Amino acid sequence: MPVSLLWAVDVYGRVYSLSTAGQQWEQCRDAQMEIKRVTAVQQCCWGIACDNSIYLNVHASDLPVRYQEETYENQRWNPVDGFSDRLLPSDRWQWSDITGLQHQPLDSFQLPSSSWEWEGDWYVDENFEGEPTEKEGWTYAIDFPANYTKDKRWNSCVRRRRWLRYRRYKAMDTWAKIPSQQTTLPDPFSDISCGGWEISEEPRGRLSLWAVSLQGKVWFRDGIYHHNPEGSLWEEVPLPGEVVQISCGPGDLVWAVLWEGQLIVREGISRDCPKGTSWAVVESPSPDVGATHVAVGVSVVWAVTKDSKVWFRRGVNSHNPCGSGWISMVGEMIMINVGLNDQVWGISSEDRGVYFRQGVTSSELSGKTWKAISVPRDGDRSHSSASASSLQSAGCFFCGEVRAQSVVSDVESDTEKGSADGASCLVTSASPESFVDAPSDPSDPSTAGEGGVRSSSAGGVLSPSQSGAPLEWSNVDLEEAQGQQVPAGAVQDSTDTCSLSSVATYTLAMEDPYGADEHPLWAWVSGGGCNVDSHYQLNWFNSMAQSVQSMSLSVTPAQTAAWRKQIFEQLSERTKREMDNFRHYEQAIEQSVWVKKGTMQWWRDWKPHKWIDVHFALEQFSGPEGNKDGILFIYYNFYEEKKYLHAFINEVTILVPVLNDSKHTFAIYTPERTKQRWPIRLAAATELEMHDWLALLSVSCCDSRGIHGPPSKQAIWSTTCKGDIFVSEPSPALEAMPYPTPSDQMFWRQVGGHLRVVECNSVGIVWGIGYDHIAWAYTGGYGGGFFQGLASSTDNIYTQTDVKSVYIYENQRWNPVTGYTNRGLPTDRYMWSDASGLHECTKTNTKPPSPQWTWVSDWVIDYSVSGGTDREGWQYAADFPASYHGHKTMKDFVRRRRWARKCKLTTTGPWQEIPPIPLSDVTILPCAAQSSMEVVPLWAISNKGDVLCRLGVTALTPAGSSWLHVGTDQPFKSISIGAARQVWAIARDGSAFYRGSVSEENPAGDCWYHIPSPSKQKLKQVSVGRTSVYTVDENGKKTHFHMNLTQLTLDDYCSLLKEEIVTGILITLYDTVWIIADKVQGSHSLSCGTVCHRLGVQPMEPKGQSWDYGIGGGWDHITVRGNSMEPPRIRLPSLTDPLPALQSPISVRNTEVNGNPVGC
Amino acid sequence: MADDKDVLRDVWYGRIPTCFTLNQDEVTEREAEPYYLLLPRVSYLTLVTDKVKKHFLKVMKAEDVEEMWFEYEGTPLKWHYPIGVLFDLHASNTILPWSITVHFKNFPDRDLLHCPSNSVIEAHFMSSIKEADALKHKSQVVNDMQKKDHKQLWMGLQNDKFDQFWAMNRKLMEYPTEEGGFRYIPFRIYQTMSDRPFIQKLFRPVSPEGSAHTLGDLLKEMYPAAIPNEGEQKRYQVVIHGIEPLLETPLQWLSEHLSHPDNFLHICVIPTPTD
């Protein structure tokens, strides 16, 4: 898991963050003023400062926040001036928005706040619907509004062009004040809660921000999303009472606490209405004591009552946001916060420490125990608290630094607000300088820890303190003088006061009896951005001594220790000394045959195909040269007759796990079986048994081929449609001319992990992208997954997770009486089905794809279906099956909508996550193995279509250091970099771009050149070699560009694929081309997703001659860019080749089937 | 950087080139040729010398043959110590091959255990594993294994099947992460100069303060003389599997990687050669 932050505020208003990988609270030094409360999400943190304004701290990211402003310039032709800005009176404005209704001259665009800056000046967009335009970006039409074309015709009377300008949010990593609203300024805020990012994917980064004002009103901040992090305006939300505190979860849960102690629950929150529609009231958990605090997650609600008791709400979910009942929990807290994965943090009422709820899992949401987070704060000794505080005052939010000259404020006390016990009076001061002070109460230090309510006069007495640091206080909350000391109950009393009022109560002591920092007192904690779960190993709980210990260990990993080196050296010396001269001696123990047997099921070769019980045996022995070998036998009955099938281990080319929801099966291929497209398919009784066999067979296959340890840097990597990762060592003969090693003889072995895309180059840099778009870098290990013990390296193996969605369709047919219903015609598909409609898939009977996957969400409507949907997610069509559109027309009689449910897989492998930007494509510059290139260019496309260039990628640091964002005017989907740093990319609208001037000094290049697509095809994928560029279009046709280094010309377009390969997934390479093709005919069967190798590719014949078919049946992606073996061929005199000895880069990948191409 | 797994392989595949010669006093029909063999360091003499026996029996009369035993420079070799230990203890720093004298008479009952069959070796080997696991896991792991798992350990050793052995043995090498190691480290310290066969006591891999114990810590407590004093000439070599690990090597790591198949860490303390 990537590192994320837990945020907290101490009673002095200092903001701290604690990293999930760290062991120290880091103070947020940037804060200009004290912060009262924070609410964090992963990308930013909101806070209420002591001036009661709201501040936003957007975490710096490699991905800038840029907003594209656009406006249109409109012109009309007249016989005198030609095209000019003289329009007809009935026409639109000369400068307008796309509809023409809004007048938008260039100078009308203003930066929304001081946190923004312009990136450059206005410029004309010269791309039009994926095609480059001529003549300064003008598009022509007969009249406004009409269809525009890029070509000027005889009847083109009007024209327009689009101007673009970007503004950039610059206030990263600092607390920037949210500009207050001009007229309807909400009164001072006292509580804030951010969440709601799971409600909708669109717009990207959308958040809900809820705030509570001192007068108990609730406000909702509208329009917060990635490109507009500040949001646009506050909307007041009508209330049934006065609210003191509110909590918003990641999804659609919003709860708030009323002054009177009841709770209210927001109902009607949905994708279309993130603000919700109404409130429902839930009584306080305890009849006598009102609630003071509530915290919600995805499907949990925690509450705290006035007596500091903690409560957990049963039965809360999206459909029943109110839940069903309260459960009392152990522990006494003043506040609780629920973060990601429904993890829970609290601040104890006893010692004001931050506690983490351990053992919270999706099946046990209430967790097990509270555990104190005991890590030091940075600079704990460095700043002694200025005027010190009486730590005893548990309600103290701000102490210390107070102006020397202070003024008695007008204090408006509102005793009605005070609740029964621990009654307090709310003091709201009007003047920002005013503050209230309780006479310091020199308390006995020994009781300090428990605290006690300090009496203070209701009117507020000022006592100047020595500190010079100015501080603006705007409001405080005082305990009413009670006269009685209540040692035990006191904390709670003051606690609810502060929770209720959300303002500060403080008392001042002239002197701090002991270092205030000895024991930090926390006021608020927010885990909304803190991504941990019950499996995550946190280092927050060790004592200081231990943490130092473990840190020093991590600084000097065992691998680098001298003792370890010594053992390795001495062992190899020992081998030299005791064995090297005596190799001719006889071995004492003769190698014998070792047999392992078991029973399995076998998918029999003859019809009717079915699973039959067989005995399975693996015989291992030492081969003639001392290498190990083996034979596997499958014993079966054929018409009462005992027969067997066998395969030599050294002929097995791959073992593929084929998990599905009913059987634990795997497939064994040999070259012969690959030709037949008919592997030996076996099913084990249990998953464990299957993994044991796979691990054993895999080790046995590797032994027989003498393969040990990690894959070489030149290895060829590929992934299957199940996400399994395979690697093959290229042999020098792979590109031999004229008789290369047939690709069906390549041996593939599995590497742990789960990826959708993998990409490599020959210096050993390998990157992968999971189904959840998370990027991973290869660590140099091997094994992981089901490889246990010896088949796996001990180091460099890490936990890897992946998440994907399972989709089902709800189908309905219209009938004249009842409209759309789930009653179809007898001939119709199932009313709940898969995409094809052939299989019934209901919400309850649909299982995760295999036992490795577990559900992690509920079924939700998927609105991101290609073709668009209506507000309820429906797509309409005349009949099943047909092409669907997102709105109902007269001709539509059926409709469907897609439901998605996320499932998650956890495995291990030699991969380390590269947070934080999710990717959809990645490309690494192919270079020769001996290349002296230090920093390797690596480009990627984020899952939102941003183009990114990775900095600092070297053989030693394959993960690189940071992303450089490369601006584009539209989202991209595919990218590839060639051996001479030629970067090509495909935009989502299918157009191709070339990035100019990419060099070592200027790794990101300077600008994009729009390359006309061959025959106006919409392209899907691009791959660049040394002199060739290949693309695949959306129909799976392959195109070849010949590229000369200085000039780009479309050389020719040819279908390199034979007729029977209906779809090609793409490819390309330098000299060699590999692709994944569908529907490859074997002698016995047909396979989809087959790895194919183009034979006969020569510098003078870049198209090659024929296809060689390799492993197949569900392959998704292959990269051979690491194979830098130069095919032995007659080399032409190098044409000013900047990178001699370039090898054969290639990559093949499948673009997402369900991708939603977004036009620009 | 090499992987820790490679250490296991190196340890397992350690071989000592050995020259077996028949004792001069044995009655033979014709002169016996010496017999050369690569002996696995981790195995037992009587388990791997069938070929030796067969070789010398060819020149002897059946009636002259009693139980075979081995001797090196006058010292009878205890078959129940791993071969590597015998070599490190008695013959390290000598010229290879290791020259062992084979006897078929006058079995030294006072020095050696009888070894009538491989089942005796198996019983000895398994009891060592069980003893080691009692120290490491209160016997929990070995008791959870099935009979066939025990057999797999033994067969792995007997047939020199590294994968087969370690597929099972890795379970014996596991420990709860939070404890930082085994309960006690199964070790034996051998010395040439003493009448005591070896030193074996309870010793934990982690100190009460939570820091990892090293080889040096162990020796300091068990055999202080083995550690050279400040500025003093090194008097003893501390040898495990023919190598001298640094004294700061963590004991837990040694136990996991340099133990013999019997799961004990056999440490030989021998005088530093004078030349």
Side-chain angles (χ1 to χ4, degrees):
Chain A
M1 266 185 198
V3 170
S4 54
L5 298 177
L6 175 70
W7 290 80
V9 181
D10 72 3
V11 293
Y12 307 107
R14 296 186 295 233
V15 182
Y16 288 85
S17 63
L18 174 59
S19 156
T20 49
Q23 293 181 306
Q24 175 169 274
W25 288 101
E26 303 281 349
Q27 188 175 357
C28 188
R29 305 270 179 208
D30 161 74
Q32 303 284 313
M33 55 181 70
E34 285 70 17
I35 301 272
K36 287 202 277 193
R37 287 195 179 174
V38 289
T39 176
V41 295
Q42 283 185 297
Q43 65 267 39
C44 63
C45 185
W46 297 78
I48 303 177
C50 58
D51 63 357
N52 289 327
S53 294
I54 291 188
Y55 285 75
L56 169 63
N57 187 339
V58 179
H59 307 332
S61 145
D62 296 330
L63 215 53
V65 174
R66 309 163 82 220
Y67 187 90
Q68 185 189 65
E69 300 279 15
E70 66 165 25
T71 190
Y72 284 85
E73 181 183 6
N74 306 302
Q75 293 195 343
R76 179 173 284 280
W77 186 86
N78 71 55
V80 182
D81 307 311
F83 279 105
S84 77
D85 55 8
R86 238 174 285 163
L87 302 177
L88 295 180
S90 60
D91 274 343
R92 53 186 57 191
W93 306 93
Q94 287 157 13
W95 293 89
S96 72
D97 67 352
I98 190 165
T99 61
L101 301 175
Q102 193 81 38
H103 181 47
Q104 297 193 147
L106 293 182
D107 57 10
S108 69
F109 289 86
Q110 301 291 329
L111 292 173
S113 77
S114 59
S115 301
W116 292 86
E117 64 189 1
W118 291 111
E119 220 173 53
D121 207 349
W122 288 97
Y123 66 95
V124 171
D125 177 20
E126 295 186 340
N127 299 320
F128 178 69
E129 291 174 354
E131 299 277 325
T133 59
E134 294 148 25
K135 301 178 214 89
E136 300 165 317
W138 291 105
T139 56
Y140 297 86
I142 299 173
D143 196 4
F144 301 114
N147 286 328
Y148 294 87
T149 64
K150 71 187 183 95
D151 301 312
K152 185 171 153 185
R153 301 210 182 99
W154 63 271
N155 60 356
S156 298
C157 292
V158 299
R159 65 178 187 179
R160 70 171 188 186
R161 60 179 173 178
R162 182 173 174 234
W163 289 77
L164 299 176
R165 190 181 194 186
Y166 288 92
R167 57 181 158 88
R168 184 186 286 258
Y169 188 80
K170 64 177 180 182
M172 295 287 190
D173 274 347
T174 64
W175 292 95
K177 189 169 178 174
I178 299 298
S180 45
Q181 228 151 310
Q182 327 75 313
T183 47
T184 58
L185 180 75
D187 52 358
F189 287 118
S190 64
D191 188 40
I192 190 171
S193 183
C194 190
W197 59 87
E198 285 180 4
I199 294 176
S200 169
E201 303 254 306
E202 297 294 330
R204 162 187 184 187
R206 201 206 67 82
L207 292 174
S208 297
L209 181 69
W210 297 79
V212 178
S213 73
L214 279 177
Q215 292 169 13
K217 292 179 179 164
V218 167
W219 301 79
F220 179 81
R221 181 83 179 167
D222 200 32
I224 305 173
Y225 57 99
H226 176 76
H227 295 305
N228 190 25
E230 300 163 300
S232 38
L233 77 164
W234 291 106
E235 290 175 46
E236 190 174 344
V237 180
L239 288 172
E242 284 182 35
V243 166
V244 290
Q245 189 255 331
I246 196 162
S247 177
C248 171
D252 50 11
L253 277 190
V254 175
W255 282 53
V257 182
L258 297 180
W259 273 103
E260 290 77 16
Q262 302 102 317
L263 296 130
I264 52 174
V265 182
R266 192 68 179 167
E267 293 182 323
I269 292 176
S270 70
R271 189 167 173 269
D272 297 317
C273 182
K275 214 171 84 166
T277 51
S278 59
W279 296 100
V281 177
V282 170
E283 284 306 314
S284 166
S286 156
D288 311 325
V289 196
T292 59
H293 186 96
V294 68
V296 305
V298 178
S299 53
V300 297
V301 174
W302 292 73
V304 178
T305 45
K306 213 166 281 181
D307 50 8
S308 294
K309 292 256 179 346
V310 177
W311 303 83
F312 177 82
R313 185 80 176 168
R314 268 191 292 128
V316 177
N317 59 45
S318 194
H319 311 295
N320 181 19
C322 293
S324 52
W326 292 105
I327 303 170
S328 175
M329 306 301 286
V330 179
E332 299 204 336
M333 298 282 161
I334 58 161
M335 65 88 62
I336 283 196
N337 189 269
V338 180
L340 297 178
N341 307 318
D342 286 340
Q343 301 296 307
V344 180
W345 288 268
I347 292 177
S348 156
S349 64
E350 193 181 324
D351 62 0
R352 283 282 185 153
V354 175
Y355 283 74
F356 175 60
R357 185 78 182 168
Q358 280 205 314
V360 174
T361 63
S362 54
S363 53
E364 194 176 358
L365 287 165
S366 55
K368 295 199 169 72
T369 55
W370 293 106
K371 194 152 185 190
I373 295 177
S374 56
V375 296
R377 302 189 291 183
D378 68 330
D380 247 357
R381 293 272 143 225
S382 63
H383 46 96
S384 63
S385 66
S387 70
S389 53
S390 71
L391 302 172
Q392 303 85 335
S393 168
C396 171
F397 274 91
F398 302 103
C399 293
E401 304 142 38
V402 181
R403 282 205 176 167
Q405 287 92 20
S406 38
V407 189
V408 179
S409 61
D410 288 324
V411 178
E412 168 199 344
S413 96
D414 182 354
T415 42
E416 289 168 17
K417 294 259 162 64
S419 49
D421 55 18
S424 59
C425 41
L426 173 72
V427 183
T428 311
S429 71
S431 133
E433 292 105 70
S434 68
F435 71 99
V436 187
D437 179 32
S440 67
D441 190 339
S443 63
D444 179 356
S446 66
T447 64
E450 327 172 8
V453 173
R454 299 295 149 225
S455 310
S456 59
S457 58
V461 181
L462 297 179
S463 87
S465 80
Q466 65 272 44
S467 159
L471 173 63
E472 292 183 317
W473 295 105
S474 51
N475 64 82
V476 292
D477 179 33
L478 282 193
E479 294 294 335
E480 192 167 17
Q482 291 184 321
Q484 83 244 41
Q485 288 287 76
V486 227
V491 176
Q492 291 126 25
D493 288 345
S494 52
T495 299
D496 34 350
T497 304
C498 64
S499 309
L500 279 167
S501 61
S502 311
V503 293
T505 299
Y506 64 91
T507 54
L508 289 180
M510 294 311 286
E511 208 168 326
D512 185 5
Y514 25 67
D517 298 322
E518 195 77 39
H519 180 74
L521 301 183
W522 296 104
W524 202 258
V525 61
S526 176
C530 187
N531 192 9
V532 297
D533 62 25
S534 52
H535 308 296
Y536 199 90
Q537 290 282 330
L538 287 168
N539 299 320
W540 292 349
F541 312 111
N542 306 329
S543 74
M544 237 183 276
Q546 280 166 329
S547 69
V548 171
Q549 168 84 30
S550 62
M551 277 169 76
S552 68
L553 266 182
S554 68
V555 172
T556 353
Q559 291 91 318
T560 59
W563 58 262
R564 196 167 178 280
K565 227 172 117 194
Q566 163 109 348
I567 285 175
F568 279 100
E569 284 170 8
Q570 292 201 0
L571 279 172
S572 81
E573 273 171 34
R574 189 193 76 173
T575 305
K576 257 184 235 149
R577 184 174 71 234
E578 298 181 355
M579 290 166 69
D580 279 0
N581 293 326
F582 305 95
R583 297 263 178 213
H584 56 286
Y585 280 29
E586 199 178 335
Q587 290 285 349
I589 302 174
E590 293 296 338
Q591 290 297 309
S592 52
V593 173
W594 179 44
V595 182
K596 183 172 163 89
K597 291 179 183 167
T599 54
M600 274 197 247
Q601 287 193 307
W602 173 54
W603 187 250
R604 69 183 191 189
D605 277 346
W606 64 90
K607 287 183 179 169
H609 299 299
K610 64 172 188 178
W611 291 102
I612 57 171
D613 291 329
V614 294
H615 289 280
F616 187 81
L618 170 66
E619 277 189 28
Q620 286 183 284
F621 47 84
S622 292
E625 285 109 44
N627 58 328
K628 289 192 197 156
D629 207 345
I631 307 176
L632 54 89
F633 295 92
I634 293 161
Y635 300 96
Y636 60 93
N637 287 317
F638 185 69
Y639 298 116
E640 307 294 313
E641 191 187 343
K642 286 202 164 138
K643 292 197 154 198
Y644 72 89
L645 181 83
H646 72 279
F648 292 101
I649 284 295
N650 64 16
E651 287 182 353
V652 171
T653 53
I654 190 168
L655 301 152
V656 194
V658 197
L659 280 172
N660 60 30
D661 57 0
S662 56
K663 272 201 162 17
H664 309 281
T665 73
F666 60 98
I668 300 172
Y669 283 90
T670 61
E672 187 55 33
R673 294 259 168 194
T674 302
K675 284 192 187 78
Q676 295 171 352
R677 305 278 151 209
W678 190 262
I680 300 169
R681 290 178 63 191
L682 293 160
T686 65
E687 189 178 356
L688 187 69
E689 212 171 290
M690 182 187 88
H691 285 161
D692 277 352
W693 273 111
L694 273 178
L696 176 70
L697 288 169
S698 181
V699 167
S700 188
C701 289
C702 288
D703 279 347
S704 77
R705 291 167 186 263
I707 295 171
H708 293 286
S712 74
K713 291 173 178 174
Q714 282 72 46
I716 296 172
W717 295 74
S718 69
T719 59
T720 69
C721 59
K722 303 270 186 191
D724 291 323
I725 306 156
F726 288 89
V727 62
S728 177
E729 296 298 330
S731 73
L734 199 56
E735 297 297 342
M737 293 291 288
Y739 302 113
T741 308
S743 15
D744 55 18
Q745 290 182 11
M746 294 167 70
F747 172 69
W748 297 90
R749 62 173 161 146
Q750 194 168 355
V751 170
H754 193 268
L755 296 175
R756 185 178 60 83
V757 167
V758 65
E759 186 74 4
C760 67
N761 82 349
S762 58
V763 298
I765 297 166
V766 184
W767 279 47
I769 302 174
Y771 282 74
D772 54 1
H773 299 288
I774 288 175
W776 302 84
Y778 173 62
T779 60
Y782 59 96
F786 58 77
F787 293 100
Q788 301 288 326
L790 300 159
S792 183
S793 53
T794 13
D795 315 315
N796 297 325
I797 296 291
Y798 302 93
T799 300
Q800 190 182 27
T801 59
D802 209 348
V803 174
K804 69 177 180 183
S805 288
V806 171
Y807 300 106
I808 59 172
Y809 289 84
E810 180 181 6
N811 306 299
Q812 293 192 344
R813 178 171 287 278
W814 186 85
N815 74 58
V817 183
T818 48
Y820 281 105
T821 64
N822 55 7
R823 221 169 302 153
L825 299 178
T827 54
D828 270 349
R829 55 183 55 196
Y830 295 102
M831 289 296 104
W832 289 88
S833 74
D834 63 358
S836 71
L838 299 176
H839 303 102
E840 180 166 35
C841 297
T842 64
K843 283 186 184 178
T844 44
N845 78 3
T846 302
K847 289 184 191 145
S850 83
Q852 297 173 290
W853 296 88
T854 50
W855 294 124
V856 291
S857 75
D858 207 347
W859 290 105
V860 291
I861 294 167
D862 183 7
Y863 299 91
S864 57
V865 189
S866 78
T869 71
D870 70 2
R871 286 163 57 97
E872 290 178 310
W874 292 104
Q875 293 190 297
Y876 297 85
D879 198 1
F880 301 117
S883 71
Y884 298 87
H885 41 261
H887 52 275
K888 179 170 161 36
T889 67
M890 288 302 288
K891 293 179 199 156
D892 292 328
F893 290 97
V894 298
R895 64 177 185 176
R896 68 167 188 186
R897 62 178 168 183
R898 189 159 86 164
W899 291 77
R901 189 175 190 186
K902 284 185 181 153
C903 52
K904 182 175 180 178
L905 163 148
T906 302
T907 179
T908 58
W911 305 96
Q912 268 197 312
E913 182 170 351
I914 302 166
I917 303 177
L919 303 182
S920 65
D921 195 13
V922 64
T923 179
I924 307 171
L925 183 125
C927 52
Q930 311 76 14
S931 154
S932 58
M933 185 176 294
E934 288 227 328
V935 177
V936 179
L938 184 151
W939 289 62
I941 296 194
S942 81
N943 68 334
K944 304 294 183 194
D946 302 288
V947 177
L948 301 160
C949 175
R950 188 76 175 174
L951 303 178
V953 176
T954 67
L956 288 176
T957 54
S961 52
S962 61
W963 291 109
L964 187 63
H965 179 259
V966 179
T968 58
D969 292 337
Q970 57 172 321
F972 276 44
K973 62 185 178 187
S974 171
I975 195 159
S976 182
I977 182 168
R981 295 179 195 264
Q982 320 94 313
V983 176
W984 286 65
I986 305 292
R988 290 228 180 124
D989 66 4
S991 50
F993 288 87
Y994 173 78
R995 184 76 181 172
S997 304
V998 178
S999 67
E1000 192 170 349
E1001 298 72 39
N1002 186 13
D1006 59 2
C1007 61
W1008 293 105
Y1009 296 98
H1010 193 155
I1011 309 292
S1013 304
S1015 311
K1016 305 200 172 177
Q1017 305 163 80
K1018 297 258 184 248
L1019 301 180
K1020 187 164 77 168
Q1021 192 214 336
V1022 64
S1023 189
V1024 187
R1026 183 160 55 172
T1027 58
S1028 295
V1029 178
Y1030 283 83
T1031 62
V1032 173
D1033 72 13
E1034 297 195 328
N1035 301 320
K1037 287 271 167 41
K1038 192 152 72 78
T1039 307
H1040 173 238
F1041 292 89
H1042 187 69
M1043 182 174 51
N1044 160 325
L1045 290 174
T1046 52
Q1047 199 185 345
L1048 302 161
T1049 51
L1050 173 61
D1051 180 20
D1052 63 323
Y1053 159 60
C1054 56
S1055 174
L1056 292 178
L1057 297 167
K1058 281 203 237 161
E1059 282 303 308
E1060 72 258 31
I1061 304 168
V1062 175
T1063 96
I1065 305 188
L1066 175 26
I1067 50 32
T1068 144
L1069 64 163
Y1070 152 51
D1071 298 277
T1072 56
V1073 182
W1074 295 67
I1075 64 162
I1076 305 278
D1078 272 356
K1079 302 197 181 160
V1080 168
Q1081 182 66 52
S1083 62
H1084 204 118
S1085 178
L1086 191 76
S1087 77
C1088 294
T1090 303
V1091 174
C1092 308
H1093 178 199
R1094 187 75 181 167
L1095 301 180
V1097 176
Q1098 293 259 31
M1100 293 312 287
E1101 193 175 357
K1103 282 183 279 177
Q1105 287 151 355
S1106 62
W1107 289 106
D1108 179 32
Y1109 302 106
I1111 190 67
W1115 254 250
D1116 232 10
H1117 188 94
I1118 183 169
T1119 173
V1120 299
R1121 283 173 170 257
N1123 179 12
S1124 67
M1125 251 163 274
E1126 185 76 26
R1129 65 161 63 92
I1130 316 112
R1131 286 208 46 151
L1132 296 178
S1134 173
L1135 325 150
T1136 66
D1137 199 339
L1139 285 174
L1142 222 291
Q1143 68 304 342
S1144 37
I1146 317 256
S1147 97
V1148 175
R1149 74 210 73 170
N1150 198 349
T1151 46
E1152 258 178 299
V1153 178
N1154 290 317
N1156 188 12
V1158 176
C1160 301
Chain B
M1 169 66 74
D3 192 83
D4 284 351
K5 296 271 155 55
D6 299 336
V7 175
L8 301 181
R9 274 183 196 275
D10 280 356
V11 164
W12 183 272
Y13 289 110
R15 296 285 188 267
I16 295 167
T18 312
C19 171
F20 290 94
T21 45
L22 192 62
N23 179 26
Q24 306 275 316
D25 301 344
E26 303 289 338
V27 182
T28 58
E29 295 180 314
R30 50 194 150 91
E31 192 170 346
E33 296 282 321
Y35 192 75
Y36 295 92
L37 209 53
L38 282 175
L39 297 181
R41 273 182 165 268
V42 296
S43 194
Y44 298 95
L45 269 178
T46 44
L47 187 61
V48 295
T49 47
D50 284 353
K51 288 176 178 178
V52 178
K53 192 170 180 179
K54 233 181 262 172
H55 172 80
F56 291 117
L57 289 185
K58 282 188 274 185
V59 298
M60 296 175 72
K61 283 199 207 127
E63 59 265 34
D64 295 330
V65 175
E66 292 165 31
E67 185 174 352
M68 178 171 69
W69 58 282
F70 304 96
E71 163 249 305
Y72 172 71
E73 292 187 345
T75 314
L77 295 175
K78 296 182 168 65
W79 65 261
H80 62 282
Y81 289 179
I83 293 167
V85 172
L86 294 171
F87 177 78
D88 291 341
L89 198 58
H90 302 298
S92 51
N93 307 312
T94 62
I95 292 167
L96 290 170
W98 185 22
S99 182
I100 292 181
T101 310
V102 183
H103 294 260
F104 286 97
K105 282 196 304 207
N106 305 327
F107 191 90
D109 291 293
R110 290 195 331 173
D111 295 320
L112 300 186
L113 297 174
H114 284 280
C115 180
S117 75
N118 282 357
S119 62
V120 177
I121 313 173
E122 182 181 354
H124 166 72
F125 172 73
M126 288 315 300
S127 74
S128 287
I129 285 192
K130 285 173 186 165
E131 183 181 351
D133 199 55
L135 295 168
K136 290 199 282 195
H137 311 109
K138 298 181 180 172
S139 299
Q140 277 161 357
V141 181
V142 80
N143 287 345
D144 281 352
M145 287 183 177
Q146 297 175 334
K147 184 74 192 150
K148 73 174 168 74
D149 299 337
H150 291 171
K151 204 76 190 169
Q152 183 170 338
L153 287 167
W154 167 246
M155 294 303 283
L157 178 73
Q158 189 178 18
N159 297 327
D160 194 25
K161 297 287 187 205
F162 173 78
D163 295 331
Q164 187 182 357
F165 175 81
W166 269 100
M168 198 49 66
N169 196 49
R170 69 184 164 84
K171 294 184 186 165
L172 293 166
M173 290 298 176
E174 285 166 0
Y175 56 87
T177 334
E178 60 272 17
E179 285 172 24
F182 302 135
R183 260 177 88 240
Y184 298 103
I185 297 290
F187 73 93
R188 284 172 186 169
I189 298 175
Y190 300 83
Q191 42 191 323
T192 41
M193 302 304 158
S194 162
D195 294 339
R196 284 176 67 184
F198 49 74
I199 303 170
Q200 178 180 347
K201 289 181 184 165
L202 293 182
F203 195 79
R204 289 188 187 269
V206 179
S207 72
E209 297 80 43
S211 62
H213 274 139
T214 63
L215 179 60
D217 295 333
L218 175 78
L219 289 167
K220 214 173 291 168
E221 191 156 331
M222 303 297 161
Y223 199 153
I227 299 176
N229 292 324
E230 202 78 17
E232 202 181 321
Q233 189 77 29
K234 192 170 85 166
R235 287 159 57 215
Y236 291 100
Q237 286 182 307
V238 178
V239 179
I240 307 173
H241 288 290
I243 65 170
E244 288 182 79
L246 292 179
L247 291 180
E248 49 267 39
T249 312
L251 201 57
Q252 175 66 29
W253 190 93
L254 283 176
S255 182
E256 285 170 60
H257 296 89
L258 292 190
S259 282
H260 276 263
D262 65 5
N263 276 251
F264 273 88
L265 187 61
H266 296 274
I267 303 166
C268 297
V269 180
I270 55 173
T272 307
T274 42
D275 46 21

